[in-house]
Amino acid sequence: MIRILIVDNNGVLVQGIQEILNDEMDMEVVGISNHVDEIVQLILEKKPEVMLVDTNKLSFNSFTTIEYIKYRFPGIKMVFMLPEINRHILLKGWQLGTSGFLLYESDPAYFIDSIRNIFREELVLSGKLAKFLLDEVYRDERKDYVYGYTII
């Protein structure tokens, strides 16, 4: 059973995610919160293996909290849920050791499979996010090439 904690304050979205995940035989949402003290308490009590984090309203304090949780509970696989591609959040999440990034627009079946893959220690990036990160990595190098030839 994959034990999941959702960090979010959007009731409608959380309810939908919770219903989708709890319908799976191998998944259980063990808690929902958006308050630091409560998140830590839920982790201690419920022992989640995966933590889904809504990135819609992340602030500097949120990143500090996530960094603290990753330090204190390194076994938790952190997944950032993004409403859209956000360079700052992607790069900060990568720096913090996030195990996966999922767009809200993801198909429910893909979302569920991604959580299973993350639980099995795989890094998950949706196609759009993977393309964005590769474009970021190779952005400077691409300027120097035209049709496969290096510009001198």
Side-chain angles (χ1 to χ4, degrees):
M1 184 70 69
I2 303 171
R3 302 170 59 76
I4 302 165
L5 173 64
I6 301 174
V7 178
D8 194 341
N9 62 0
N10 182 339
V12 174
L13 181 65
V14 169
Q15 185 176 358
I17 292 172
Q18 183 177 19
E19 286 178 21
I20 289 168
L21 297 178
N22 282 341
D23 282 346
E24 297 301 308
M25 298 296 293
D26 61 341
M27 295 184 188
E28 177 187 16
V29 175
V30 296
I32 300 168
S33 181
N34 199 35
H35 304 288
V36 177
D37 296 336
E38 190 176 43
I39 293 168
V40 171
Q41 191 62 35
L42 282 168
I43 292 170
L44 291 170
E45 289 175 8
K46 305 290 185 174
K47 311 263 187 280
E49 290 110 353
V50 176
M51 191 164 113
L52 301 177
V53 179
D54 173 22
T55 62
N56 199 24
K57 297 175 184 156
L58 284 182
S59 65
F60 176 75
N61 290 339
S62 301
F63 285 120
T64 303
T65 301
I66 291 166
E67 190 170 18
Y68 169 75
I69 290 169
K70 282 296 290 177
Y71 173 76
R72 183 150 180 216
F73 306 100
I76 292 179
K77 288 132 184 103
M78 187 102 37
V79 181
F80 277 15
M81 299 183 299
L82 298 102
E84 59 189 17
I85 295 173
N86 180 308
R87 181 182 190 278
H88 172 71
I89 291 175
L90 281 169
L91 297 177
K92 187 66 176 173
W94 185 258
Q95 180 185 28
L96 293 173
T98 302
S99 301
F101 300 88
L102 297 169
L103 290 170
Y104 287 138
E105 67 186 40
S106 299
D107 177 72
Y110 176 79
F111 194 87
I112 291 164
D113 286 342
S114 294
I115 291 172
R116 288 186 181 113
N117 291 336
I118 288 163
F119 180 71
R120 291 190 294 262
E121 304 286 335
E122 296 175 21
L123 173 66
V124 171
L125 291 168
S126 73
K128 286 182 180 179
L129 295 173
K131 181 185 178 322
F132 174 82
L133 287 175
L134 284 171
D135 285 346
E136 283 291 304
V137 168
Y138 292 108
R139 178 180 44 195
D140 292 335
E141 291 181 28
R142 282 191 177 166
K143 307 190 270 199
D144 298 333
Y145 291 93
V146 175
Y147 302 111
Y149 296 97
T150 303
I151 299 172
I152 301 175

